[in-house]
Amino acid sequence: MFIDTHAHLTYPTLNVQLSEVIERAEEAGVTRIINVATDLESAEMVLDSANKFDGVFAALGIHPQDSANLPSDWPDRLRELLSKPKVVALGEIGLDYYREFSPKATQIEVFRRQILIARELKLPMILHDRQAHEDLKQILTEIGYHKGVLHCFSGNAVFAREMTDLGFYISFTGNATYGNRKTEQAAQAVPLEKLMLETDAPFLAPEGKRGETNEPAYIPLIAAKIAELKGLPIETVATVTTQNAINFFNLP
Ligand code: NI
């Protein structure tokens, strides 16, 4: 049994065939999916999908790339949405210095504000970090709220250990299957007790499915690669990462 801890089922390629996507996931042993919003509009769609499907849970937050031009009452609207049933995390939130669709200063302000909301509501955070490792770590340690997962981890092994030592979890997508040595070494450095699996569907399809629309049913391909990198049976990776996700997101 697996859990896809990060998918964007709101994207049209997945949303138009949602029942089939969830059915294929279940056939592949992926029984629960965290559907992740990136702004207030997609948050409503994520809540709809969580209401409709037992195995779908909601993560709601403002993505760094969507941080510009927010309505002034966004923190109150977000708090209201986060109070709905089946919300299990605040996310995805963070910093993206790779593509500065929103100015750095705005990203930082919106990120800080959301960390404070997560702390206030005692919710775990799904963290997006693209070429912003130092700022992200500095802001999180300064505020001192460490209940988060660094999703689609792109740092090196040293950064992975630093963050897991601080209490953070780390999750890998198909990015772990592309033969990138830095990512493989990071996956090897992360204790299995701190590791979770995700697709980030519809993006980043794993090797063997590259170029296709990614979907939660492909989680076992990522698990197989993690198992190979760590020299463990895939069953162990499945069991431990599933338990990690249940604990981290407080899933039923
Ligand atoms: Ni994502």
Side-chain angles (χ1 to χ4, degrees), residues 6-8 36 38 63 92 128 151 198 200-201 203:
H6 190 122
H8 299 285
V36 182
T38 52
H63 191 286
E92 58 182 289
H128 174 104
H151 115 86
E198 55 155 324
D200 205 16
F203 311 109

Side-chain angles (χ1 to χ4, degrees), residues 11-236:
Y11 277 71
T13 43
L14 296 171
N15 194 47
V16 295
Q17 45 158 345
L18 202 48
S19 301
E20 292 87 340
V21 165
I22 289 162
E23 216 175 280
R24 286 196 292 271
E26 281 170 359
E27 278 163 21
V30 183
T31 54
R32 282 170 275 191
I33 302 166
I34 314 288
N35 192 7
V36 182
T38 52
D39 56 22
L40 295 171
E41 289 70 35
S42 59
E44 303 274 3
M45 290 175 73
V46 163
L47 286 171
D48 284 346
S49 69
N51 284 332
K52 201 163 159 204
F53 299 97
D54 281 350
V56 175
F57 297 84
L60 312 179
I62 314 284
H63 191 286
Q65 290 178 350
D66 297 297
S67 303
N69 309 314
L70 291 171
S72 58
D73 64 344
W74 73 264
D76 291 335
R77 288 175 61 185
L78 181 59
R79 260 198 208 87
E80 157 71 17
L81 292 164
L82 288 166
S83 71
K84 306 282 186 195
K86 292 189 84 179
V87 172
V88 295
L90 206 160
E92 58 182 289
I93 62 175
L95 301 172
D96 195 319
Y97 295 171
Y98 175 65
R99 294 198 201 93
E100 277 182 58
F101 289 150
S102 310
K104 263 189 197 180
T106 310
Q107 290 189 35
I108 290 171
E109 189 192 319
V110 172
F111 181 38
R112 292 185 68 100
R113 192 74 187 262
Q114 291 185 99
I115 301 168
L116 297 175
I117 294 172
R119 184 172 67 180
E120 171 197 322
L121 301 178
K122 299 188 173 65
L123 279 171
M125 302 173 287
I126 298 177
L127 302 165
H128 174 104
D129 162 26
R130 198 114 190 249
Q131 295 184 8
H133 308 322
E134 284 313 311
D135 280 11
L136 185 107
K137 182 182 159 197
Q138 197 256 321
I139 291 167
L140 287 163
T141 48
E142 186 196 312
I143 293 176
Y145 187 60
H146 295 180
K147 194 169 171 59
V149 56
L150 279 90
H151 115 86
C152 194
F153 189 77
S154 60
N156 62 20
V158 174
F159 186 57
R161 285 311 292 248
E162 277 175 19
M163 295 309 279
T164 52
D165 285 349
L166 287 169
F168 292 93
Y169 283 72
I170 280 175
S171 61
F172 292 96
T173 62
N175 74 331
T177 68
Y178 298 162
N180 178 319
R181 254 335 262 157
K182 184 175 88 168
T183 303
E184 290 179 354
Q185 285 166 349
Q188 286 166 332
V190 175
L192 192 59
E193 289 64 35
K194 286 286 178 189
L195 197 151
M196 293 192 281
L197 305 173
E198 55 155 324
T199 55
D200 205 16
F203 311 109
L204 300 165
E207 197 60 48
K209 302 287 180 187
R210 272 184 105 169
E212 293 179 28
T213 298
N214 197 7
E215 59 175 75
Y218 298 161
I219 279 284
L221 297 172
I222 300 163
K225 185 64 190 188
I226 298 290
E228 180 198 318
L229 289 169
K230 287 188 163 299
L232 294 168
I234 188 167
E235 293 77 18
T236 306

